[in-house]
Amino acid sequence: MAAASARQVNIAIIGAGGVGKCFLSQLEQLAARRPSPKLVLTYICTSKKALYSTDHVAISLSNIPSSLASSQQAPLPLPKLVDFLSTSGSKTVLVDNTSSQDVADAYPIFLSRGISVVTPNKKAFSSSYKLWQDIFAAAEQSGAKVFHESSVGAGLPVISTLKDLVDTGDEVTKIEGVFSGTMSFLFNSFAPTSGSGGKWSAEVKKAKELGYTEPDPRDDLNGLDVARKLTILARLAGLPVESPTSFPVQSLIPKELESVASGDEFLEKLPAFDAQMEETKAEAEKEGKVVRFVGSIDVTTKQVKVGLEKFDLSHPIAALKGSDNIISFYTRRYGSNPLIIQGAGAGGDVTAMGVTSDLLKVLSQIA
């Protein structure tokens, strides 16, 4: 019987919110569908509570939200968690379903102790270039794996495609696209390819009500989320981008509203600034174009930028629907017609799918 238990991989999870919940249900189905290697959850925590036992006993995958809610255990501090996970005697994968900078900063320590990491956490791969180097150096040295497909475009195969292009020796010349579901939705409603669209402030308010924006819409409108995603892709394409603030990023927050106290106050005062956006839209219309919020990486000239651009109505970026993302890779092999990836770039289920798919990749390499 001993041989059966030898093929076991322990899973530790940080974060059980939106993406975390969806991932748990996918993990439960995965464990039932694929008995080998045996997937054993030995640790899970939220910011306040945790479930684990000192001897690494398996935690049942059913009813985790209620088990966590009634737990009396606090999360282990990260250095202690590293020790706990590395003493189990089994190969271990840490799934970080948070957007925490503290957890991201600890990746090199987890990886250097042989613990693989799978995550949608953008901060790990878009903060300082030194952290990026430390993460991949630690993985290289220990043989642990690190995958982060869902850090750009949720479950869309953006990072894996770019890695394949680079690893097979294609030359990526330019990457361009709409990388934010929020910005996609806003501009598809505000400046549709047919019809007139509503007032800018009304579209922002509607997007917030429908759950497309962060609780404070300024966290989307400042462009930083897109800048983080571009930082990740630029680095994968070989540009040593220092940070998401080291290239031009256009913010759509009027200067006068940058420091208002709350998201609600921001929405209340935004209508006074509609004229600026109306003018931008009208300018594009005069040229027979529409305005979109895009990110682009020109690998040849090493230029990265985020902001408003005008597109012909026939351009794939102009024709997006809903809150879809679109990412175009221009490469030597693909010539003048780019390789295009398009679809939902946000949402719990599709983000968790990217994480689950990364977990499968890790398992195929370590188990």
Side-chain angles (χ1 to χ4, degrees):
M1 280 308 287
S5 65
R7 295 208 53 212
Q8 167 175 327
V9 174
N10 289 355
I11 311 280
I13 302 173
I14 303 180
V19 174
K21 270 202 186 66
C22 298
F23 173 73
L24 277 168
S25 80
Q26 291 179 23
L27 179 64
E28 190 175 358
Q29 291 162 12
L30 181 69
R33 210 169 52 236
R34 293 176 55 127
S36 176
K38 188 172 193 291
L39 302 180
V40 177
L41 180 66
T42 58
Y43 180 91
I44 180 166
C45 74
T46 59
S47 55
K48 305 267 189 301
K49 302 197 162 205
L51 292 172
Y52 66 96
S53 58
T54 45
D55 49 358
H56 303 272
V57 173
I59 299 164
S60 161
L61 286 169
S62 51
N63 303 324
I64 282 178
S66 56
S67 313
L68 264 173
S70 56
S71 167
Q72 301 301 309
Q73 290 173 293
L76 288 168
L78 293 168
K80 287 217 161 45
L81 179 58
V82 174
D83 290 340
F84 171 73
L85 298 180
S86 54
T87 54
S88 72
S90 293
K91 288 182 172 167
T92 301
V93 182
L94 172 72
V95 182
D96 170 22
N97 285 322
T98 73
S99 57
S100 156
Q101 186 69 57
D102 289 341
V103 180
D105 288 341
Y107 288 2
I109 308 164
F110 284 102
L111 291 161
S112 66
R113 298 284 289 275
I115 297 158
S116 294
V117 174
V118 165
T119 184
N121 187 344
K122 285 189 276 290
K123 289 186 181 146
F125 308 95
S126 63
S127 300
S128 75
Y129 191 59
K130 183 180 186 312
L131 178 59
W132 168 277
Q133 291 174 304
D134 290 349
I135 287 171
F136 292 103
E140 181 78 13
Q141 166 256 314
S142 72
K145 308 297 169 194
V146 55
F147 284 99
H148 55 106
E149 183 62 78
S150 280
S151 63
V152 178
L156 295 175
V158 177
I159 287 175
S160 50
T161 301
L162 177 54
K163 278 172 93 161
D164 284 348
L165 290 168
V166 172
D167 292 348
T168 57
D170 198 355
E171 189 187 323
V172 179
T173 51
K174 185 180 175 190
I175 302 169
E176 174 183 61
V178 173
F179 294 89
S180 155
T182 308
M183 291 297 203
S184 179
F185 180 81
L186 276 173
F187 283 92
N188 298 340
S189 323
F190 171 65
T193 46
S194 59
S196 62
K199 286 263 185 282
W200 174 248
S201 57
E203 296 296 356
V204 175
K205 190 164 183 280
K206 182 173 85 182
K208 182 182 181 211
E209 282 161 4
L210 291 171
Y212 282 114
T213 74
E214 295 292 330
D216 185 337
R218 286 175 296 181
D219 291 335
D220 293 298
L221 297 176
N222 64 13
L224 187 62
D225 171 65
V226 176
R228 284 194 178 280
K229 293 170 187 171
L230 281 193
T231 300
I232 296 169
L233 295 181
R235 287 172 176 176
L236 289 168
L239 300 181
V241 173
E242 186 43 53
S243 78
T245 54
S246 62
F247 52 86
V249 177
Q250 182 180 1
S251 167
L252 300 184
I253 305 167
K255 280 267 181 291
E256 300 85 339
L257 300 184
E258 279 174 352
S259 54
V260 299
S262 68
D264 291 338
E265 189 185 341
F266 169 74
L267 284 174
E268 214 171 282
K269 295 185 167 164
L270 190 58
F273 300 88
D274 278 344
Q276 295 169 355
M277 289 299 283
E278 280 302 324
E279 199 178 313
T280 308
K281 173 158 88 171
E283 240 170 65
E285 277 170 2
K286 272 198 205 91
E287 299 172 36
K289 296 182 173 186
V290 289
V291 68
R292 295 289 180 262
F293 193 84
V294 298
S296 65
I297 301 162
D298 189 324
V299 184
T300 327
T301 62
K302 300 185 164 47
Q303 285 189 303
V304 185
K305 63 179 198 296
V306 172
L308 295 173
E309 306 259 343
K310 295 181 270 205
F311 292 92
D312 287 326
L313 301 184
S314 60
H315 196 288
I317 284 180
L320 274 186
K321 297 278 178 282
S323 61
D324 276 6
N325 284 190
I326 185 167
I327 295 93
S328 307
F329 293 108
Y330 292 83
T331 80
R332 188 170 40 87
R333 287 183 194 142
Y334 279 88
S336 55
N337 286 344
L339 185 165
I340 295 180
I341 297 169
Q342 180 182 335
D349 282 332
V350 289
T351 304
M353 166 199 141
V355 179
T356 305
S357 149
D358 278 348
L359 175 60
L360 286 169
K361 286 179 182 152
V362 172
L363 295 175
S364 74
Q365 292 180 15
I366 67 169

